[in-house]
Amino acid sequence: AGGARLTLYHDEWCTQELDSVLLSHRTCLSSYEADNCTVFRVGTHLFSSRTIEEKDLWLRALNNTKAKILFGAPDPTRKDLGVFRAAVRERLEELVPSGNSELERHSEPLLALVPRNPLASPKGDPDGEVDLEADEEPVEFVHDVFDV
């Protein structure tokens, strides 16, 4: 059986790849069915969509991909991908009435990125032996590592 890759990008322009998840016919897809829960699982990765309808769309697309892998469907052509993407775009337009969109209100992150100082690592002898009698030097933190 073949496989597919779900690629995760930084934003909708897809210029910076962040990670990818390999999909096979054995990849576990699951959804959490609590009230207003938008969390779903792909293998060992947890995702959160913006709406429950969007979560259902993701799971449908991933299940369709798994079915194609399971039954040995040929790799999609560029034309096939265009048709798939157009169908998803059409479904998204049905889900989101223009001008009254929860998706539009939350297009920016809700929490600001906060830079952190690196953790101090313990000092030790490279060969594994620790000299308990030695005077320790104070650990110096590097500040302003993240220039935002």
Side-chain angles (χ1 to χ4, degrees), residues 43-109:
T44 59
H45 296 78
L46 286 175
F47 295 93
S48 178
S49 62
R50 293 173 280 198
T51 65
I52 293 171
E53 293 82 9
E54 188 180 90
K55 173 184 76 170
D56 293 341
L57 184 60
W58 273 107
L59 289 170
R60 181 177 175 198
L62 291 164
N63 272 313
N64 288 346
T65 302
K66 276 184 58 173
K68 290 180 181 300
I69 294 167
L70 180 63
F71 294 108
D75 288 344
T77 63
R78 287 194 181 276
K79 183 178 179 182
D80 293 336
L81 291 174
V83 170
F84 300 154
R85 289 176 178 148
V88 169
R89 201 173 304 114
E90 181 180 316
R91 180 66 183 129
L92 283 173
E93 288 170 4
E94 291 172 6
L95 294 176
V96 181
S98 182
N100 188 19
S101 166
E102 182 181 331
L103 297 178
E104 291 173 7
R105 286 197 309 266
H106 296 296
S107 62
E108 293 298 318

Side-chain angles (χ1 to χ4, degrees), residues 5 10 17 19 21 30 55 62 71 74 79 84 90 92 102 111 123 130 144:
R5 184 173 78 150
H10 180 260
E17 186 176 323
D19 199 0
V21 179
S30 61
K55 173 184 76 170
L62 291 164
F71 294 108
K79 183 178 179 182
F84 300 154
E90 181 180 316
L92 283 173
E102 182 181 331
L111 298 174
K123 291 190 169 205
V130 178
D144 299 320

